Amino acid sequence: MMRSSLHALGRYAVMAALVFLPSAVTAASFNYLYIEASEGNSSGGHTAIQFGDDIYHYQHVDSGLIRLFRQEKTGFHFLYRYLQNRPMHLSRIEVSEDTFDLLKEQFKWQFLKQEKQFKLLDDLHKERVFIRRLLQKSTAGQAGIDADAASVLRLKGVGLFFPEPGHQPQHADSQLTKQQSLSVQSLRQKLEQRYGPDFFQRRRATVDAQIKALAPSQWPAVNLDPAGEKFPASIYSFTERYSDSLTALFAIKAIIDASPLQADALLRLNQPDFKISEAERQVLRELRNDLETSFVKAVDSNRPDWGYAVLVNMARYIAIDASLQSGHWVFIDDFAENSERLRPDQYLEHGEQIRMLISDARTGLNKIRLSAASRQRLSESEYSQIEMAANRYIELLNSEQRHDFRYNGEKTLPSKSIGFPESPLPNLTPEQLTGVLSALDIIENSLFETLQQSYRYDLFSHNCVTELFRTINQALLEPYLPGDKTGDLEALTIQESGKRLGGHVEIPYNFIPFVAYQSVLDHYHVTQNYDLDSYRGLELAKLAAGQNDPLTALRESNIISSRLYRYNPDDALFVFFTDDNVPLRPVFGLVNTAAAIGQSVYGFFSWPLDSGDNLKSGATGILMSLPELFFFNMRKGSYKYLSSTQVTQTDLPDG
């Protein structure tokens, strides 16, 4: 059923409920969150809205647009209050159940709609890059060097078994390679027994024919619905069809050749205390049998991405087989290829914190192992949790050798990719490609312009605050059909806001986060208000309770003697904390400004050596310090390497 119909029914249901329900409507509540200013994202402050355990907030993205994001409550607080060290203020607003549902569904719908719209934009861009590459190859005989194509046109999962085009394979020692090939041969035999010895030849011929016959998708003119009544149409694009078919060919080749994994696709835990127990061995045997069954079905599946499923399934089968043979855990590398990497110079000063992260990762992995061993059977999703935990632990261990390591980016499914190879290619003429490319240029530009009109970021009129209240206002008007004679929409919004929320917040005058927060307190039906301290604030309170000592306050006032904060290179250089010392804030701000100017001068001369990092950091430091001269604090200092075990989030109010 079309969403417009569902909306219509929903509106009538709500209106009927308002008429026939008794006056005592069941109460519910949601939370409005104000996060104080700090260096980094949303430096001027931030706002969010919480329904249950889901928090929605708007953020400016690199494309110059503003997007709605959804995060789980605990993760949101850990990011902003602890890692970014920012105090948070939470207001609980009491509303009726139907108002709560209107608001919650509007934010959920807006989030899902934007996800679909921006995926459509990404798909269009990828399509245009691929067509351009095919055109270059058809006219010049080879594709030109295109950095955009190299990063956008990737075959997910293929990098587990094959190297980048033009590179030599990287395999482990011959004994391990032989074991892996034997594992794949065992799977191949199962397939041949079920589907016949010529199955792979037939399957490969079918996929080859599909690739040659591929033609560009007929992209309709993109007409996004501004009222949000329906999702944009899904399109299985030409590039996606080509990518899926090519991935399937690589999967068939890996099976036929009994290809071992690439050397960097496997991670091992060879420590004595990570030896596989008998209970774990039994669970892994059962899971290996389940993977074998899934593998046999996937190879003959009609799902378009069956090649990727086969490659992941086969890689995990190999890893589990290697674990059972060696007696120690072996895992597939599941880190995303854009994972954040840390150099030794970035983390060596935080050795104590890194050791705590390692200890936590180890404890978490052992906990999941014990849980898995107690089960009769382990699902693939449960195994994925073990795989992710092991990946994080193994990667953190690289810090002990002072190596670069990936700090985050574990994924539930391995996605190691390679770029598109030179062949095979669809049979398309330059004339066909030229016509398609011209049409795609127009459609992509049109879509981007449409998204700009709807989601253009502006510091004053379209920021994280204004868009939050616009979405609230859209929800309040949901019970009214577009054809209703509602008169002045602004007057109706004010009326509905007063009736449902207790008052109205004027968007044009409340674009600053802390001003909007005060307006919420003044106008909405706020029943409770919570001031949630930052990590450093909580730790300072503990110190004050235990040692009410001026020397302790002096020690913690600056980054040189502080025991609670160790300078993080992600923060612009400063000397004094000013968030907890209002009377001396201008004096401390003057010192901080001088330090930032000094770093900028140094950065000017070190520019050729550090690519301008010091110059950029110094300039940021000046911007963060100047407000302190006028008693306004922005910078708080951050705790990039904080472990979740160091914080106890017992003060989180429910949504």
Side-chain angles (χ1 to χ4, degrees):
M1 183 181 291
M2 294 297 293
R3 185 177 185 266
S4 56
S5 301
L6 292 175
H7 261 209
L9 291 172
R11 292 189 186 100
Y12 286 131
V14 169
M15 295 178 71
L18 291 174
V19 173
F20 295 110
L21 282 178
S23 58
V25 181
T26 307
S29 63
F30 65 92
N31 294 333
Y32 178 88
L33 287 73
Y34 160 54
I35 301 96
E36 290 189 15
S38 184
E39 184 181 343
N41 290 335
S42 307
S43 57
H46 198 43
T47 58
I49 194 167
Q50 177 185 350
F51 305 100
D53 288 338
D54 290 329
I55 292 180
Y56 294 90
H57 59 115
Y58 282 92
Q59 280 195 332
H60 179 210
V61 293
D62 291 340
S63 58
L65 304 179
I66 188 163
R67 290 189 61 176
L68 183 61
F69 291 86
R70 180 173 64 189
Q71 282 184 261
E72 190 273 331
K73 173 180 70 175
T74 304
F76 184 87
H77 280 259
F78 186 67
L79 172 63
Y80 283 97
R81 289 181 58 204
Y82 297 95
L83 295 182
Q84 294 188 13
N85 193 39
R86 300 166 73 165
M88 185 182 295
H89 306 276
L90 184 150
S91 300
R92 175 161 292 164
I93 300 163
E94 188 174 285
V95 293
S96 63
E97 285 280 3
D98 67 286
T99 298
F100 177 88
D101 290 339
L102 277 175
L103 292 169
K104 180 181 177 181
E105 289 304 310
Q106 182 65 35
F107 275 90
K108 180 180 177 182
W109 178 255
Q110 180 76 352
F111 169 74
L112 295 175
K113 181 183 73 172
Q114 279 197 9
E115 288 285 293
K116 195 73 177 289
Q117 290 171 338
F118 281 94
K119 183 185 183 303
L120 188 63
L121 182 64
D122 289 341
D123 289 346
L124 263 169
H125 178 66
K126 185 183 293 187
E127 187 94 328
R128 191 168 60 83
V129 170
F130 182 46
I131 297 291
R132 189 174 65 218
R133 183 175 185 266
L134 289 176
L135 185 58
Q136 289 172 341
K137 190 167 179 60
S138 66
T139 55
Q142 60 180 8
I145 298 174
D146 189 337
D148 204 12
S151 61
V152 169
L153 304 179
R154 311 287 298 176
L155 297 176
K156 188 173 66 171
V158 176
L160 295 168
F161 290 90
F162 299 94
E164 280 284 348
H167 291 69
Q168 291 297 317
Q170 299 176 356
H171 296 312
D173 61 73
S174 57
Q175 182 59 34
L176 289 174
T177 299
K178 183 178 179 181
Q179 289 176 358
Q180 293 177 30
S181 293
L182 289 173
S183 297
V184 179
Q185 287 175 20
S186 173
L187 290 173
R188 187 179 66 202
Q189 288 169 3
K190 294 286 192 304
L191 290 171
E192 290 174 342
Q193 288 170 6
R194 177 159 181 173
Y195 300 117
D198 63 339
F199 170 76
F200 295 111
Q201 286 70 29
R202 289 186 283 108
R203 193 71 157 139
R204 183 162 58 185
T206 300
V207 176
D208 271 327
Q210 288 173 346
I211 290 176
K212 290 177 182 177
L214 281 175
S217 306
Q218 295 297 314
W219 286 83
V222 178
N223 182 22
L224 296 182
D225 178 22
E229 291 294 321
K230 59 183 179 181
F231 280 143
S234 295
I235 296 177
Y236 184 31
S237 71
F238 171 57
T239 308
E240 286 179 311
R241 286 181 282 132
Y242 176 74
S243 177
D244 284 341
S245 296
L246 208 52
T247 301
L249 277 187
F250 275 106
I252 293 170
K253 178 175 173 56
I255 297 169
I256 292 175
D257 297 344
S259 300
L261 291 162
Q262 293 291 291
D264 58 355
L266 274 185
L267 303 174
R268 295 175 178 80
L269 276 170
N270 292 324
Q271 295 133 312
D273 51 343
F274 281 99
K275 193 171 183 180
I276 295 173
S277 68
E278 190 53 44
E280 290 172 333
R281 183 176 291 276
Q282 181 60 36
V283 170
L284 285 178
R285 284 199 194 99
E286 292 293 336
L287 179 58
R288 183 179 60 180
N289 292 339
D290 291 342
L291 286 173
E292 183 180 285
T293 302
S294 299
F295 174 83
V296 171
K297 291 179 180 178
V299 171
D300 196 38
S301 169
N302 290 323
R303 56 185 284 186
D305 64 340
W306 68 267
Y308 172 64
V310 165
L311 289 169
V312 171
N313 198 309
M314 190 160 58
R316 282 181 167 169
Y317 181 93
I318 290 172
I320 292 172
D321 216 26
S323 298
L324 291 170
Q325 291 186 41
S326 67
H328 288 85
W329 285 92
V330 178
F331 295 98
I332 298 299
D333 182 349
D334 67 12
F335 272 86
E337 288 166 307
N338 60 351
S339 300
E340 179 185 10
R341 278 191 171 273
L342 296 180
R343 305 182 309 271
D345 62 287
Q346 293 175 289
Y347 66 78
L348 284 180
E349 291 296 317
H350 301 267
E352 183 179 344
Q353 287 294 134
I354 297 295
R355 285 190 291 274
M356 188 169 292
L357 289 172
I358 293 173
S359 175
D360 289 348
R362 183 188 187 90
T363 301
L365 175 56
N366 283 329
K367 184 178 179 180
I368 297 176
R369 285 177 60 199
L370 285 172
S371 175
S374 67
R375 300 172 184 271
Q376 295 294 320
R377 213 173 194 90
L378 196 64
S379 68
E380 284 191 62
S381 62
E382 290 165 338
Y383 175 77
S384 177
Q385 296 303 310
I386 303 175
E387 185 179 70
M388 290 172 66
N391 267 257
R392 177 160 179 77
Y393 175 61
I394 294 169
E395 198 65 26
L396 283 169
L397 286 178
N398 285 326
S399 66
E400 294 184 337
Q401 307 301 319
R402 299 193 173 192
H403 293 160
D404 291 4
F405 72 93
R406 294 168 293 185
Y407 186 56
N408 54 36
E410 310 95 299
K411 300 183 71 174
T412 54
L413 286 173
S415 59
K416 190 173 175 59
S417 67
I418 66 170
F420 281 17
E422 292 298 314
S423 62
L425 297 172
N427 290 329
L428 296 168
T429 66
E431 292 73 22
Q432 287 176 295
L433 295 169
T434 301
V436 171
L437 188 58
S438 298
L440 285 174
D441 286 341
I442 294 171
I443 295 171
E444 185 183 3
N445 290 335
S446 173
L447 174 58
F448 187 72
E449 288 175 8
T450 303
L451 292 177
Q452 275 190 314
Q453 292 172 7
S454 300
Y455 309 125
R456 175 180 56 85
Y457 173 80
D458 182 270
L459 181 61
F460 303 107
S461 60
H462 293 276
N463 62 23
C464 67
V465 185
T466 62
E467 299 314 292
L468 196 75
F469 286 108
R470 280 198 179 93
T471 308
I472 289 174
N473 290 345
Q474 288 169 2
L476 299 179
L477 296 177
E478 274 296 296
Y480 299 91
L481 288 169
D484 289 347
K485 296 182 179 180
T486 54
D488 184 4
L489 287 180
E490 184 177 354
L492 181 61
T493 301
I494 294 172
Q495 174 189 319
E496 285 295 303
S497 186
K499 181 173 67 175
R500 292 178 177 276
L501 302 175
H504 180 65
V505 174
E506 294 283 350
I507 294 176
Y509 310 111
N510 290 278
F511 62 89
I512 301 173
F514 74 84
V515 174
Y517 168 62
Q518 189 59 52
S519 291
V520 167
L521 294 179
D522 292 341
H523 295 97
Y524 284 176
H525 187 211
V526 177
T527 57
Q528 290 175 291
N529 204 58
Y530 301 87
D531 295 321
L532 305 173
D533 219 336
S534 64
Y535 173 71
R536 182 171 175 273
L538 292 170
E539 294 301 305
L540 282 174
K542 292 177 186 177
L543 286 178
Q547 355 169 353
N548 195 3
D549 181 350
L551 288 177
T552 301
L554 180 62
R555 184 192 73 203
E556 295 302 328
S557 68
N558 65 90
I559 69 169
I560 299 170
S561 59
S562 175
R563 295 180 186 173
L564 295 179
Y565 174 84
R566 187 173 293 276
Y567 178 64
N568 172 15
D570 286 354
D571 299 332
L573 181 64
F574 67 104
V575 178
F576 287 104
F577 293 96
T578 65
D579 53 327
D580 56 336
N581 202 324
V582 178
L584 291 175
R585 188 171 289 169
V587 178
F588 286 174
L590 190 62
V591 177
N592 289 340
T593 304
I597 292 172
Q599 187 182 25
S600 297
V601 172
Y602 172 74
F604 180 79
F605 293 102
S606 65
W607 191 353
L609 301 176
D610 63 10
S611 302
D613 288 346
N614 270 296
L615 185 61
K616 179 182 177 182
S617 180
T620 303
I622 294 171
L623 290 174
M624 293 294 109
S625 300
L626 284 176
E628 296 169 344
L629 303 179
F630 304 95
F631 291 94
F632 185 75
N633 168 261
M634 292 183 68
R635 182 211 332 274
K636 308 289 190 297
S638 62
Y639 290 84
K640 184 183 182 75
Y641 306 106
L642 192 66
S643 167
S644 58
T645 61
Q646 291 177 262
V647 300
T648 306
Q649 298 194 41
T650 56
D651 58 349
L652 302 188
D654 294 331

